[in-house]
């Protein structure tokens, strides 16, 4: 009752916040649209969280009760976090819509750089048919990517194929797409030279450049990285469905996704795969520039290095993640409290691991955590401290035992923000 009265009293404050146009509108109060609305919402949430952590802003109706204060603070922060999440999604959609234009501009900028490089290197040696074929191939590839950008203009343009279902850049897809583009460009260069060739000997030499024996290493690497991209998607999907991996959708993709996990921490498997693949791609591109009459012949030593890197990346995907687990449940005790069994109305502290999935550290995700105590679902309250939350955390969370729980032996189970359930842990609730 005290919480409801306090919430009615704060209605005018909420109306004032909503009237401030903190979202994705385009009026004068939001000169930068969704991005500015998200920035304002984040700033308001952080300010409110720190105020509550310092004991400020509590209405008098709930200030006398610790449990009522905690519930009111948690609900207020949850609503504010949901506003931040909506603004974040709006900003992500707007950012993706603009990404298509930026990727198209980057593609044509690369074509211009190729033309400048060819013009500079042609000084003294003259313009050759291989240069013409290379420029024509670049124009064809750029045109295809531009068309793809238009068809996927709301989903990141040409980068849409490398954006995963969790709205993050996929490392395996990005590496595979890079190799596919290089090989396709090399074939187009050969086709252009073949179209410009006048003598039979020259045409026969160009056709022999497509023989498998001259590019076995590159073709093997292409096959493996494409297979890795398909297999990783299957592995991740099965692990998510089997509740052995927790996945949380991101607001928008970032370049750092290629080198980090869902929580933004750098991972060895991803970093080594991207670095070694990039080195091999640069080597293959140089070989193509030096010998445009054949597919880039990747030496077997370098090809094996790429294959080992791909195997390491795949093993890392199998090893990551894990199901959350409850290790113990104890009665939460404040200073001065007497030792006692767990009763209805008491707070219990659930200790374990994996309660907060990678990428779910935001308040809107934390507020979705639920603890089942018997047949009762208890939403985990947000307990703010300066700079974050003391509960819930990845290894501990605190919830009250509601009065609806019948005394006796009951099971406790945590449902994380990703929807994954932990094991059941039995506790005794006394009268």
């Amino acid at each position: 009752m005290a919480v409801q009265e306090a919430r009615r009293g704060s209605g005018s404050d909420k109306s004032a916040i909503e009237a401030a146009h903190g979202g994705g509108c385009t009026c004068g109060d939001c000169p930068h649209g969704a991005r500015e609305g998200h920035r304002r919402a984040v700033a308001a949430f952080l300010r409110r969280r720190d105020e509550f952590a310092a004991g400020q802003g509590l209405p008098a109706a709930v200030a006398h009760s610790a449990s009522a204060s905690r519930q009111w603070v948690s609900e207020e922060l949850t609503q504010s976090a949901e506003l931040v999440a909506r603004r974040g999604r709006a900003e992500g959609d707007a950012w993706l819509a603009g990404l298509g234009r930026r990727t198209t501009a980057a593609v044509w900028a690369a074509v211009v750089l190729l033309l400048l490089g060819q013009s500079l290197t042609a000084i003294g040696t003259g313009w050759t048919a291989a240069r013409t074929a290379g420029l024509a191939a670049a124009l064809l590839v750029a045109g295809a990517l531009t068309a793809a950008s238009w068809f996927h203009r709301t989903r990141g343009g040409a980068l849409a194929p490398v954006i995963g279902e969790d709205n993050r850049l996929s490392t395996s897809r990005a590496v595979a797409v890079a190799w596919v583009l290089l090989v396709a460009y090399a074939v187009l260069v050969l086709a252009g030279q073949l179209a410009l060739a006048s003598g039979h000997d020259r045409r026969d030499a160009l056709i022999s450049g497509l023989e498998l024996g001259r590019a076995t290493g590159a073709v093997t690497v292409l096959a493996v990285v494409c297979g890795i991209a398909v297999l990783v998607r299957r592995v991740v999907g099965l692990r998510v469905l089997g509740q052995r991996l927790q996945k949380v959708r991101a607001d928008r993709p970032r370049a750092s996704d290629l080198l980090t996990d869902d929580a933004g921490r750098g991972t060895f498997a991803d970093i080594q795969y991207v670095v070694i693949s990039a080195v091999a791609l640069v080597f293959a591109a140089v070989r193509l520039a030096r010998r445009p009459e054949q597919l880039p012949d990747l030496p077997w030593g370098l090809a094996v290095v790429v294959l080992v890197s791909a195997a390491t990346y795949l093993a890392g995907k199998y090893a990551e993640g894990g199901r959350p687990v409850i290790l113990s449940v104890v009665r939460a005790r404040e200073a001065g409290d007497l030792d006692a069994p767990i009763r209805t109305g008491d707070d219990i502290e659930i200790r374990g691991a994996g309660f907060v999935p990678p990428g779910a550290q935001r308040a809107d995700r934390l507020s979705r955590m639920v603890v089942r105590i018997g047949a009762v679902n208890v939403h985990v309250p947000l307990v703010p401290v300066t700079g974050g939350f003391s509960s819930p955390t990845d290894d501990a969370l605190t919830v009250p035992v509601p009065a609806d729980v019948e005394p006796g032996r009951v099971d406790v189970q945590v449902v994380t923000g990703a929807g994954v359930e932990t094991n059941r842990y039995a506790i005794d609730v006394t009268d």
Side-chain angles (χ1 to χ4, degrees):
M1 182 66 70
V3 174
Q4 294 176 353
E5 293 177 357
R7 291 178 59 82
R8 285 196 295 268
S10 62
S12 59
D13 296 336
K14 292 181 182 178
S15 299
I17 293 175
E18 293 175 356
H21 301 279
C25 58
T26 56
C27 64
D29 291 339
C30 293
H32 302 291
R35 181 177 182 181
E36 178 65 15
H38 183 226
R39 186 192 65 80
R40 293 183 181 183
V42 170
F45 172 80
L46 295 178
R47 182 173 60 252
R48 197 163 181 80
R49 182 199 63 190
D50 292 342
E51 287 178 354
F52 289 148
Q56 302 173 0
L58 291 175
V62 299
H64 66 281
S65 171
S67 60
S69 299
R70 183 175 59 186
Q71 180 184 351
W72 186 86
V73 167
S74 178
E75 292 182 0
E76 289 294 310
L77 289 178
T78 298
Q79 289 195 355
S80 182
E82 290 174 353
L83 175 62
V84 173
R86 289 197 300 271
R87 301 305 186 213
R89 289 190 292 268
E91 182 193 7
D93 293 340
W95 186 86
L96 277 178
L99 182 61
R101 297 187 295 270
R102 292 192 292 271
T103 53
T104 301
V107 166
W108 287 104
V111 173
V112 172
L113 291 177
L114 176 63
L115 176 60
L116 291 176
Q118 288 185 337
S119 301
L120 293 175
T121 55
I123 298 176
T125 60
W127 191 269
T128 62
R131 299 180 191 276
T132 302
L135 183 59
L139 291 174
L140 288 175
V141 172
L145 292 177
T146 301
S149 295
W150 187 85
F151 283 109
H152 299 89
R153 55 189 178 276
T154 61
R155 290 295 306 157
L159 293 181
V162 301
I163 298 177
E165 288 74 13
D166 58 353
N167 209 29
R168 295 180 176 88
L169 289 180
S170 170
T171 302
S172 59
R173 296 185 194 180
V175 171
V177 166
W179 279 103
V180 168
L181 289 177
L182 177 64
V183 173
Y185 176 75
V187 173
L188 288 175
V189 170
L190 285 171
Q193 294 180 85
L194 185 62
L196 296 174
S198 57
H200 291 287
D201 295 339
R202 178 61 177 170
R203 287 195 291 268
D204 292 341
L206 290 172
I207 293 175
S208 64
L210 288 171
E211 292 180 356
L212 182 60
R214 296 192 176 186
T216 308
V219 173
T220 302
V221 169
L222 175 65
V224 169
V225 297
C226 290
I228 289 290
V230 176
L231 183 58
V232 164
R233 180 181 182 183
R234 179 65 174 172
V235 167
V236 171
L238 290 177
R239 287 174 62 82
V240 170
L241 293 177
Q243 296 193 4
R244 296 188 301 274
L245 179 65
Q246 301 188 73
K247 275 287 187 180
V248 176
R249 183 178 174 83
D251 288 336
R252 66 176 178 88
R254 292 174 171 81
S256 60
D257 295 339
L258 299 176
L259 305 174
T260 62
D261 61 8
D262 293 352
R265 298 183 297 262
T267 57
F268 170 75
D270 293 60
I271 293 174
Q272 60 86 29
Y273 190 42
V274 171
V275 171
I276 293 178
S277 298
V279 171
L281 280 167
V282 170
F283 183 90
V286 172
R287 295 288 283 184
L288 178 63
R290 300 296 294 177
R291 294 183 179 179
E293 69 279 359
Q294 67 179 53
L295 290 176
D297 50 339
L298 202 65
W300 268 111
L302 183 56
V304 170
V305 170
V306 177
L307 298 183
V308 171
S309 174
T312 303
Y313 173 77
L314 182 60
K317 286 299 178 182
Y318 271 103
E320 73 176 0
R323 189 168 183 172
V325 58
I326 296 177
L327 300 178
S328 62
V329 178
V330 298
R331 177 178 176 269
R333 176 181 176 274
E334 297 183 359
D337 284 353
L338 298 177
D339 295 330
I342 298 175
R343 296 185 174 90
T344 55
D346 289 343
D347 290 338
I348 57 174
E349 181 180 343
I350 304 174
R351 301 170 183 174
F355 295 152
V356 181
Q361 293 82 5
R362 301 180 314 185
D364 63 299
R365 293 291 182 179
L366 296 177
S367 63
R368 297 179 62 185
M369 296 180 63
V370 174
V371 175
R372 295 197 186 109
I373 306 177
V376 182
N377 291 329
V378 182
H379 287 271
V380 180
L382 301 177
V383 182
V385 294
T386 303
F389 298 95
S390 62
S391 177
T393 62
D394 188 61
D395 56 1
L397 55 90
T398 301
V399 294
V401 179
D404 294 331
V405 175
E406 295 292 335
R409 195 163 185 84
V410 295
D411 290 332
V412 176
Q413 190 176 29
V414 176
V415 182
T416 70
V420 178
E421 300 175 343
T422 66
N423 58 306
R424 297 178 183 272
Y425 192 95
I427 63 172
D428 293 315
V429 179
T430 61
D431 292 330

